[in-house]
PDB file of all heavy atoms in Angstrom:
ATOM      1  N   LEU A 452      12.355  -7.072  -5.003  1.00  0.00           N
ATOM      2  CA  LEU A 452      13.170  -7.076  -6.225  1.00  0.00           C
ATOM      3  C   LEU A 452      13.932  -5.775  -6.428  1.00  0.00           C
ATOM      4  O   LEU A 452      14.893  -5.729  -7.187  1.00  0.00           O
ATOM      5  CB  LEU A 452      12.275  -7.323  -7.450  1.00  0.00           C
ATOM      6  CG  LEU A 452      11.583  -8.684  -7.526  1.00  0.00           C
ATOM      7  CD1 LEU A 452      10.704  -8.752  -8.761  1.00  0.00           C
ATOM      8  CD2 LEU A 452      12.607  -9.811  -7.536  1.00  0.00           C
ATOM      9  N   TRP A 502      15.942 -10.590 -19.141  1.00  0.00           N
ATOM     10  CA  TRP A 502      15.553 -11.979 -18.904  1.00  0.00           C
ATOM     11  C   TRP A 502      15.491 -12.308 -17.414  1.00  0.00           C
ATOM     12  O   TRP A 502      14.644 -13.095 -16.971  1.00  0.00           O
ATOM     13  CB  TRP A 502      16.532 -12.922 -19.622  1.00  0.00           C
ATOM     14  CG  TRP A 502      17.917 -12.900 -19.033  1.00  0.00           C
ATOM     15  CD1 TRP A 502      18.954 -12.111 -19.380  1.00  0.00           C
ATOM     16  CD2 TRP A 502      18.389 -13.705 -17.942  1.00  0.00           C
ATOM     17  NE1 TRP A 502      20.054 -12.363 -18.601  1.00  0.00           N
ATOM     18  CE2 TRP A 502      19.732 -13.344 -17.706  1.00  0.00           C
ATOM     19  CE3 TRP A 502      17.807 -14.700 -17.151  1.00  0.00           C
ATOM     20  CZ2 TRP A 502      20.496 -13.934 -16.708  1.00  0.00           C
ATOM     21  CZ3 TRP A 502      18.573 -15.287 -16.153  1.00  0.00           C
ATOM     22  CH2 TRP A 502      19.901 -14.914 -15.941  1.00  0.00           C
ATOM     23  N   GLY A 503      16.411 -11.706 -16.660  1.00  0.00           N
ATOM     24  CA  GLY A 503      16.427 -11.948 -15.219  1.00  0.00           C
ATOM     25  C   GLY A 503      15.158 -11.478 -14.550  1.00  0.00           C
ATOM     26  O   GLY A 503      14.565 -12.187 -13.711  1.00  0.00           O
ATOM     27  N   ARG A 504      14.685 -10.281 -14.908  1.00  0.00           N
ATOM     28  CA  ARG A 504      13.447  -9.752 -14.314  1.00  0.00           C
ATOM     29  C   ARG A 504      12.241 -10.578 -14.766  1.00  0.00           C
ATOM     30  O   ARG A 504      11.305 -10.785 -13.992  1.00  0.00           O
ATOM     31  CB  ARG A 504      13.281  -8.278 -14.697  1.00  0.00           C
ATOM     32  CG  ARG A 504      12.060  -7.592 -14.083  1.00  0.00           C
ATOM     33  CD  ARG A 504      12.035  -7.735 -12.569  1.00  0.00           C
ATOM     34  NE  ARG A 504      13.123  -7.086 -11.900  1.00  0.00           N
ATOM     35  CZ  ARG A 504      13.020  -5.910 -11.282  1.00  0.00           C
ATOM     36  NH1 ARG A 504      11.880  -5.272 -11.266  1.00  0.00           N
ATOM     37  NH2 ARG A 504      14.075  -5.400 -10.682  1.00  0.00           N
ATOM     38  N   TRP A 505      12.281 -11.087 -16.017  1.00  0.00           N
ATOM     39  CA  TRP A 505      11.194 -11.928 -16.512  1.00  0.00           C
ATOM     40  C   TRP A 505      11.067 -13.204 -15.672  1.00  0.00           C
ATOM     41  O   TRP A 505       9.964 -13.604 -15.283  1.00  0.00           O
ATOM     42  CB  TRP A 505      11.450 -12.286 -17.980  1.00  0.00           C
ATOM     43  CG  TRP A 505      10.394 -13.153 -18.587  1.00  0.00           C
ATOM     44  CD1 TRP A 505       9.213 -12.772 -19.133  1.00  0.00           C
ATOM     45  CD2 TRP A 505      10.440 -14.589 -18.701  1.00  0.00           C
ATOM     46  NE1 TRP A 505       8.510 -13.870 -19.589  1.00  0.00           N
ATOM     47  CE2 TRP A 505       9.240 -15.002 -19.332  1.00  0.00           C
ATOM     48  CE3 TRP A 505      11.376 -15.565 -18.346  1.00  0.00           C
ATOM     49  CZ2 TRP A 505       8.946 -16.336 -19.608  1.00  0.00           C
ATOM     50  CZ3 TRP A 505      11.082 -16.900 -18.610  1.00  0.00           C
ATOM     51  CH2 TRP A 505       9.886 -17.273 -19.235  1.00  0.00           C
ATOM     52  N   VAL A 506      12.207 -13.828 -15.381  1.00  0.00           N
ATOM     53  CA  VAL A 506      12.197 -15.038 -14.560  1.00  0.00           C
ATOM     54  C   VAL A 506      11.672 -14.736 -13.156  1.00  0.00           C
ATOM     55  O   VAL A 506      10.857 -15.478 -12.597  1.00  0.00           O
ATOM     56  CB  VAL A 506      13.620 -15.652 -14.476  1.00  0.00           C
ATOM     57  CG1 VAL A 506      13.675 -16.772 -13.433  1.00  0.00           C
ATOM     58  CG2 VAL A 506      14.047 -16.175 -15.837  1.00  0.00           C
ATOM     59  N   GLN A 507      12.134 -13.631 -12.559  1.00  0.00           N
ATOM     60  CA  GLN A 507      11.689 -13.262 -11.215  1.00  0.00           C
ATOM     61  C   GLN A 507      10.187 -13.044 -11.166  1.00  0.00           C
ATOM     62  O   GLN A 507       9.504 -13.482 -10.233  1.00  0.00           O
ATOM     63  CB  GLN A 507      12.432 -12.005 -10.764  1.00  0.00           C
ATOM     64  CG  GLN A 507      13.898 -12.238 -10.452  1.00  0.00           C
ATOM     65  CD  GLN A 507      14.623 -10.957 -10.092  1.00  0.00           C
ATOM     66  OE1 GLN A 507      14.358  -9.896 -10.659  1.00  0.00           O
ATOM     67  NE2 GLN A 507      15.552 -11.049  -9.157  1.00  0.00           N
ATOM     68  N   LYS A 508       9.639 -12.366 -12.164  1.00  0.00           N
ATOM     69  CA  LYS A 508       8.203 -12.082 -12.183  1.00  0.00           C
ATOM     70  C   LYS A 508       7.382 -13.347 -12.390  1.00  0.00           C
ATOM     71  O   LYS A 508       6.279 -13.469 -11.856  1.00  0.00           O
ATOM     72  CB  LYS A 508       7.892 -11.042 -13.258  1.00  0.00           C
ATOM     73  CG  LYS A 508       8.345  -9.635 -12.889  1.00  0.00           C
ATOM     74  CD  LYS A 508       7.857  -8.597 -13.874  1.00  0.00           C
ATOM     75  CE  LYS A 508       8.178  -7.189 -13.390  1.00  0.00           C
ATOM     76  NZ  LYS A 508       7.696  -6.158 -14.321  1.00  0.00           N
ATOM     77  N   LYS A 509       7.902 -14.303 -13.183  1.00  0.00           N
ATOM     78  CA  LYS A 509       7.208 -15.564 -13.368  1.00  0.00           C
ATOM     79  C   LYS A 509       7.131 -16.335 -12.050  1.00  0.00           C
ATOM     80  O   LYS A 509       6.082 -16.897 -11.698  1.00  0.00           O
ATOM     81  CB  LYS A 509       7.917 -16.408 -14.437  1.00  0.00           C
ATOM     82  CG  LYS A 509       7.713 -15.914 -15.863  1.00  0.00           C
ATOM     83  CD  LYS A 509       6.240 -16.029 -16.293  1.00  0.00           C
ATOM     84  CE  LYS A 509       6.041 -15.561 -17.719  1.00  0.00           C
ATOM     85  NZ  LYS A 509       4.618 -15.610 -18.136  1.00  0.00           N
ATOM     86  N   PHE A 510       8.244 -16.364 -11.317  1.00  0.00           N
ATOM     87  CA  PHE A 510       8.243 -17.011  -9.999  1.00  0.00           C
ATOM     88  C   PHE A 510       7.257 -16.315  -9.068  1.00  0.00           C
ATOM     89  O   PHE A 510       6.490 -16.962  -8.347  1.00  0.00           O
ATOM     90  CB  PHE A 510       9.645 -16.960  -9.384  1.00  0.00           C
ATOM     91  CG  PHE A 510      10.459 -18.186  -9.651  1.00  0.00           C
ATOM     92  CD1 PHE A 510      11.155 -18.345 -10.845  1.00  0.00           C
ATOM     93  CD2 PHE A 510      10.539 -19.190  -8.711  1.00  0.00           C
ATOM     94  CE1 PHE A 510      11.910 -19.478 -11.097  1.00  0.00           C
ATOM     95  CE2 PHE A 510      11.301 -20.329  -8.938  1.00  0.00           C
ATOM     96  CZ  PHE A 510      11.986 -20.475 -10.144  1.00  0.00           C
ATOM     97  N   GLN A 511       7.278 -14.979  -9.069  1.00  0.00           N
ATOM     98  CA  GLN A 511       6.399 -14.205  -8.205  1.00  0.00           C
ATOM     99  C   GLN A 511       4.936 -14.495  -8.508  1.00  0.00           C
ATOM    100  O   GLN A 511       4.113 -14.654  -7.596  1.00  0.00           O
ATOM    101  CB  GLN A 511       6.684 -12.711  -8.386  1.00  0.00           C
ATOM    102  CG  GLN A 511       5.796 -11.805  -7.555  1.00  0.00           C
ATOM    103  CD  GLN A 511       5.982 -10.354  -7.936  1.00  0.00           C
ATOM    104  OE1 GLN A 511       7.006  -9.957  -8.483  1.00  0.00           O
ATOM    105  NE2 GLN A 511       4.975  -9.541  -7.676  1.00  0.00           N
ATOM    106  N   LYS A 512       4.594 -14.591  -9.785  1.00  0.00           N
ATOM    107  CA  LYS A 512       3.208 -14.803 -10.200  1.00  0.00           C
ATOM    108  C   LYS A 512       2.703 -16.197  -9.845  1.00  0.00           C
ATOM    109  O   LYS A 512       1.578 -16.361  -9.358  1.00  0.00           O
ATOM    110  CB  LYS A 512       3.082 -14.568 -11.707  1.00  0.00           C
ATOM    111  CG  LYS A 512       1.665 -14.755 -12.238  1.00  0.00           C
ATOM    112  CD  LYS A 512       1.601 -14.494 -13.740  1.00  0.00           C
ATOM    113  CE  LYS A 512       0.185 -14.709 -14.282  1.00  0.00           C
ATOM    114  NZ  LYS A 512       0.117 -14.461 -15.753  1.00  0.00           N
ATOM    115  N   HIS A 513       3.530 -17.220 -10.071  1.00  0.00           N
ATOM    116  CA  HIS A 513       3.057 -18.594  -9.937  1.00  0.00           C
ATOM    117  C   HIS A 513       3.374 -19.244  -8.590  1.00  0.00           C
ATOM    118  O   HIS A 513       2.680 -20.190  -8.191  1.00  0.00           O
ATOM    119  CB  HIS A 513       3.640 -19.453 -11.062  1.00  0.00           C
ATOM    120  CG  HIS A 513       3.207 -19.021 -12.430  1.00  0.00           C
ATOM    121  ND1 HIS A 513       1.904 -19.137 -12.878  1.00  0.00           N
ATOM    122  CD2 HIS A 513       3.893 -18.461 -13.456  1.00  0.00           C
ATOM    123  CE1 HIS A 513       1.810 -18.680 -14.118  1.00  0.00           C
ATOM    124  NE2 HIS A 513       3.010 -18.255 -14.501  1.00  0.00           N
ATOM    125  N   ILE A 514       4.396 -18.757  -7.909  1.00  0.00           N
ATOM    126  CA  ILE A 514       4.798 -19.375  -6.646  1.00  0.00           C
ATOM    127  C   ILE A 514       4.561 -18.461  -5.442  1.00  0.00           C
ATOM    128  O   ILE A 514       4.331 -18.920  -4.337  1.00  0.00           O
ATOM    129  CB  ILE A 514       6.281 -19.822  -6.709  1.00  0.00           C
ATOM    130  CG1 ILE A 514       6.461 -20.823  -7.859  1.00  0.00           C
ATOM    131  CG2 ILE A 514       6.730 -20.449  -5.399  1.00  0.00           C
ATOM    132  CD1 ILE A 514       7.880 -21.312  -8.034  1.00  0.00           C
ATOM    133  N   GLY A 515       4.580 -17.150  -5.674  1.00  0.00           N
ATOM    134  CA  GLY A 515       4.299 -16.225  -4.591  1.00  0.00           C
ATOM    135  C   GLY A 515       5.511 -15.494  -4.063  1.00  0.00           C
ATOM    136  O   GLY A 515       5.385 -14.560  -3.281  1.00  0.00           O
ATOM    137  N   PHE A 516       6.714 -15.917  -4.464  1.00  0.00           N
ATOM    138  CA  PHE A 516       7.911 -15.193  -4.061  1.00  0.00           C
ATOM    139  C   PHE A 516       8.810 -15.011  -5.272  1.00  0.00           C
ATOM    140  O   PHE A 516       8.691 -15.726  -6.271  1.00  0.00           O
ATOM    141  CB  PHE A 516       8.669 -15.917  -2.938  1.00  0.00           C
ATOM    142  CG  PHE A 516       9.399 -17.156  -3.399  1.00  0.00           C
ATOM    143  CD1 PHE A 516      10.720 -17.084  -3.796  1.00  0.00           C
ATOM    144  CD2 PHE A 516       8.756 -18.376  -3.437  1.00  0.00           C
ATOM    145  CE1 PHE A 516      11.396 -18.218  -4.229  1.00  0.00           C
ATOM    146  CE2 PHE A 516       9.424 -19.519  -3.867  1.00  0.00           C
ATOM    147  CZ  PHE A 516      10.744 -19.435  -4.261  1.00  0.00           C
ATOM    148  N   ALA A 517       9.678 -14.041  -5.184  1.00  0.00           N
ATOM    149  CA  ALA A 517      10.587 -13.747  -6.296  1.00  0.00           C
ATOM    150  C   ALA A 517      12.013 -14.117  -5.895  1.00  0.00           C
ATOM    151  O   ALA A 517      12.499 -13.650  -4.862  1.00  0.00           O
ATOM    152  CB  ALA A 517      10.506 -12.265  -6.663  1.00  0.00           C
ATOM    153  N   PRO A 518      12.699 -14.966  -6.670  1.00  0.00           N
ATOM    154  CA  PRO A 518      14.082 -15.321  -6.341  1.00  0.00           C
ATOM    155  C   PRO A 518      15.012 -14.132  -6.564  1.00  0.00           C
ATOM    156  O   PRO A 518      15.109 -13.606  -7.670  1.00  0.00           O
ATOM    157  CB  PRO A 518      14.394 -16.468  -7.306  1.00  0.00           C
ATOM    158  CG  PRO A 518      13.481 -16.245  -8.467  1.00  0.00           C
ATOM    159  CD  PRO A 518      12.236 -15.615  -7.911  1.00  0.00           C
TER     160      PRO A 518
END
Side-chain angles (χ1 to χ4, degrees):
L452 295 178
W502 68 269
R504 183 54 64 101
W505 180 84
V506 170
Q507 289 176 323
K508 287 188 173 181
K509 286 295 181 182
F510 266 83
Q511 178 189 337
K512 180 179 179 180
H513 297 292
I514 301 179
F516 73 92

